[in-house]
Amino acid sequence: GAVVSQHPSWVICKSGTSVKIECRSLDFQATTMFWYRQFPKQSLMLMATSNEGSKATYEQGVEKDKFLINHASLTLSTLTVTSAHPEDSSFYICSAPPGGAKNIQYFGAGTRLSVL
Amino acid sequence: LAKTTQPISMDSYEGQEVNITCSHNNIATNDYITWYQQFPSQGPRFIIQGYKTKVTNEVASLFIPADRKSSTLSLPRVSLSDTAVYYCLVGGLLSDYKLSFGAGTTVTVRA
């Protein structure tokens, strides 16, 4: 099946710093990718839709200035958590649909962010 | 996006069959039913997808009645490694590929 690579898998940072997370589709092109966050023992919550060549669309309640998304190529989307604070500590996951009528998506392995 | 409802948790023993039923009363004509599996600290993994009737692959079977308002994921002869959260999602091309995750079903397999 299709592969989505996410990097890094784990990051610790100091409060106030910014952290970039990369999501790559390795064997298919993805004009659209999605970013989720997941708190312990909770479900995935969709944060935003990353659109290649255009601005990301954010879900209600997600601060676009805090969670910067860039989708510069058909295989790469990045999520930057700016001025991270402890409450931003979470598990961040990306996904990408290869396309077609069926909505099968492939997920990255996730990034565990811990903000001290 | 069609809302889904599934049991919060299920317990089972190794070697048993586990059936998880998901309700999706508002499923649209173009929607597919997709199940994902998630282990702790990992991204979800695609298990199976169907539109109607029955679909089977090497991992599971998916049963969908004619009215498509529900679906049942069947895991045959589970092992300890099948302990995970299972999500039922409904959507398709017309929903711009957005996925709306419900709470999922935590399946715990015991020896």
Side-chain angles (χ1 to χ4, degrees):
Chain A
V3 178
V4 172
S5 174
Q6 191 172 337
H7 178 81
S9 58
W10 183 45
V11 58
I12 301 175
C13 70
K14 293 182 179 180
S15 185
T17 61
S18 295
V19 174
K20 180 184 285 188
I21 303 170
E22 292 187 348
C23 181
R24 294 179 184 274
S25 56
L26 297 186
D27 50 2
F28 66 98
Q29 293 183 333
T31 56
T32 302
M33 291 186 178
F34 299 94
W35 288 95
Y36 308 80
R37 66 188 299 181
Q38 185 176 34
F39 292 107
K41 298 194 181 300
Q42 294 188 22
S43 186
L44 284 78
M45 184 190 77
L46 179 64
M47 298 175 66
T49 303
S50 176
N51 304 298
E52 189 269 335
S54 64
K55 291 183 178 180
T57 53
Y58 292 81
E59 296 300 304
Q60 190 173 7
V62 178
E63 300 176 59
K64 62 180 181 181
D65 295 329
K66 182 166 190 61
F67 298 100
L68 300 179
I69 292 173
N70 184 272
H71 196 147
S73 77
L74 288 171
T75 59
L76 174 64
S77 174
T78 60
L79 168 68
T80 301
V81 183
T82 63
S83 187
H85 288 94
E87 57 266 29
D88 298 322
S89 298
S90 188
F91 192 54
Y92 293 86
I93 307 170
C94 68
S95 75
K102 300 179 181 180
N103 193 7
I104 295 176
Q105 297 207 19
Y106 296 94
F107 289 78
T111 298
R112 175 75 57 195
L113 171 62
S114 295
V115 184
L116 304 179
Chain B
L1 296 172
K3 181 180 177 180
T4 61
T5 303
Q6 50 184 122
I8 294 296
S9 64
M10 297 182 72
D11 289 343
S12 184
Y13 290 92
E14 284 190 293
Q16 291 188 333
E17 179 181 83
V18 172
N19 296 305
I20 310 170
T21 296
C22 177
S23 297
H24 28 79
N25 291 316
N26 297 322
I27 189 168
T29 302
N30 298 91
D31 286 343
Y32 283 80
I33 301 156
T34 313
W35 287 79
Y36 293 85
Q37 174 192 57
Q38 186 183 27
F39 298 113
S41 297
Q42 294 187 29
R45 182 178 75 107
F46 169 80
I47 299 177
I48 197 167
Q49 184 184 71
Y51 185 80
K52 60 180 179 180
T53 64
K54 177 184 175 182
V55 180
T56 297
N57 62 20
E58 63 278 6
V59 176
S61 293
L62 179 60
F63 299 91
I64 306 169
D67 65 5
R68 301 200 331 122
K69 293 184 183 298
S70 67
S71 60
T72 299
L73 175 72
S74 180
L75 306 172
R77 298 179 299 281
V78 293
S79 64
L80 296 176
S81 62
D82 292 315
T83 294
V85 180
Y86 293 83
Y87 296 98
C88 161
L89 289 100
V90 173
L93 180 62
L94 296 183
S95 59
D96 295 327
Y97 298 110
K98 276 189 176 183
L99 295 179
S100 178
F101 282 82
T105 298
T106 299
V107 173
T108 303
V109 181
R110 307 180 193 280

